[in-house]
Amino acid sequence: DTDTPSSVLEMLQGGVSHVSVVGRRGHVQGAFTIKELRELTKLKKEGHDAAFIVRKEELEMGMTDSTFEELKGASGRPKARIDKLLKEAAEMDDSGASKAVELRFLMNPTRIEASGSENDRVGRVICERTKLEGEAGHQRCVGTGEMEEIPADLVLVSIGYRGMPLESLDNDKLFDSRRGVVLNDHGKVPEINNLFVTGWIKRGPTGIIGTNITDAKDTVSSIMKCIEEGNIVPKASPSVGGRDGLVKHFNSRGLDAVSWNQFLQIERAEKDPTRLRTEMQPREKILAIEEMLAVANKD
């Protein structure tokens, strides 16, 4: 069983038969990693009764002269491996599976339409075919006027992430506006004492959980190095009061904080056998904040 809430499973009504992941640009410009794609190629082989579909013609449409340039050199090797894997996937025969995950490229969703007479339910997504224009590393998608309808019962929007600078970092010496990252050397921000970054604001919106672990270790190593070399200078400021100071700050703003023990109360409530639909279900999540706080504040 799963910890997916029962209310969500009821909406899914036994599962999803077809998932379409739609991207406005080509496969080489995608932010996914080869590890994520490999997991998708194994769906049918590992007994999930799901095909992985990639359209050969869409891969070919994305191979502009600029795309070929993006695949060259050391920086292009990860993308070249993804290109090879997807082209191999496009040749796979996954027929016979009852479910499918399909990657669509060079498709720009323009509007969502209702399902027939049911105006409160989604029925389809209307997409415009796009093409790539521009120099390597700066290609943009341009509409072609060709439209396609993708049937849909559920639409999840993921328009991407772009880092934005804090007011004090909004200059070319500290922020790369093209990449959306704070300029740094292994996490250390130049010219500003005691300031370090990690995650997407450090490297851009790429990678998976494991990437963040490696990235955080790199930044922590920089912090330790600066401490050992005496380069971190303590700021002269009044004591912030530690934990007591934080609680006082919350109270001054009328904020209710959930303590660790209160969190454990919520966790115990979610794992209460009387809430579970089967013995295998890990927990039945509490979705309403009001209910969560009521459980946390219970004596």
Side-chain angles (χ1 to χ4, degrees):
D1 207 332
T2 171
D3 66 355
T4 301
S6 298
S7 58
V8 175
L9 289 181
E10 185 179 344
M11 289 295 294
L12 293 175
Q13 296 179 348
V16 176
S17 62
H18 192 106
V19 175
S20 295
V21 182
V22 179
R24 293 175 296 173
R25 294 191 294 170
H27 64 288
V28 174
Q29 291 76 42
F32 38 66
T33 67
I34 194 166
K35 185 174 182 180
E36 293 165 325
L37 292 175
R38 281 204 187 105
E39 294 300 315
L40 291 175
T41 65
K42 299 174 185 176
L43 286 174
K44 187 177 180 184
K45 182 180 178 181
E46 295 186 349
H48 298 291
D49 190 27
F52 178 49
I53 302 173
V54 181
R55 302 193 181 197
K56 183 178 180 181
E57 63 271 22
E58 290 185 344
L59 300 183
E60 292 173 346
M61 283 190 288
M63 297 306 295
T64 63
D65 290 342
S66 293
T67 297
F68 279 110
E69 285 295 320
E70 291 173 11
L71 295 175
K72 292 180 180 178
S75 62
R77 284 176 192 159
K79 295 292 186 182
R81 292 164 61 206
I82 287 174
D83 174 56
K84 181 175 181 293
L85 179 66
L86 287 177
K87 286 177 178 176
E88 291 173 351
E91 301 291 345
M92 289 193 315
D93 180 13
D94 271 352
S95 58
S98 65
K99 303 175 183 178
V101 176
E102 182 173 13
L103 299 189
R104 300 297 309 274
F105 298 104
L106 299 169
M107 298 283 283
N108 181 31
T110 58
R111 68 181 185 273
I112 297 173
E113 294 186 349
S115 175
S117 59
E118 298 183 77
N119 290 326
D120 61 340
R121 295 183 67 88
V122 64
R124 64 198 66 83
V125 179
I126 309 302
C127 298
E128 181 181 17
R129 170 68 68 196
T130 64
K131 62 180 180 179
L132 295 176
E133 292 184 357
E135 300 177 357
H138 301 279
Q139 293 191 86
R140 64 189 185 281
C141 60
V142 178
T144 65
E146 178 187 346
M147 310 301 290
E148 181 176 333
E149 176 184 302
I150 300 179
D153 297 307
L154 174 68
V155 178
L156 303 177
V157 180
S158 176
I159 58 172
Y161 164 94
R162 184 173 184 81
M164 301 296 290
L166 296 172
E167 186 175 341
S168 59
L169 299 176
D170 193 7
N171 63 73
D172 293 340
K173 291 183 178 180
L174 298 173
F175 193 82
D176 185 333
S177 57
R178 182 179 66 83
R179 295 170 55 215
V181 299
V182 174
L183 296 174
N184 67 91
D185 180 13
H186 295 281
K188 176 69 178 73
V189 179
E191 300 183 12
I192 300 183
N193 179 46
N194 298 2
L195 184 59
F196 297 80
V197 291
T198 190
W200 284 1
I201 201 65
K202 172 186 175 185
R203 69 177 190 276
T206 60
I208 53 179
I209 292 175
T211 313
N212 290 326
I213 294 173
T214 303
D215 191 31
K217 287 181 177 179
D218 179 54
T219 298
V220 170
S221 295
S222 293
I223 294 172
M224 297 306 297
K225 181 180 178 182
C226 286
I227 291 174
E228 291 167 0
E229 294 177 351
N231 293 328
I232 291 185
V233 181
K235 284 187 176 181
S237 62
S239 173
V240 294
R243 178 186 176 86
D244 292 338
L246 180 61
V247 172
K248 185 177 179 181
H249 175 71
F250 285 157
N251 292 337
S252 69
R253 296 191 169 215
L255 301 175
D256 292 325
V258 175
S259 69
W260 174 247
N261 287 332
Q262 288 176 310
F263 166 76
L264 293 178
Q265 285 186 198
I266 295 171
E267 187 175 49
R268 282 193 294 271
E270 291 181 335
K271 293 181 177 180
D272 185 339
T274 61
R275 288 177 57 89
L276 307 183
R277 54 182 174 264
T278 69
E279 292 182 359
M280 298 297 293
Q281 185 186 4
R283 70 180 69 231
E284 177 67 27
K285 295 178 182 177
I286 299 173
L287 302 182
I289 294 176
E290 294 80 5
E291 183 184 356
M292 210 177 291
L293 291 176
V295 171
N297 294 320
K298 205 170 185 179
D299 292 333

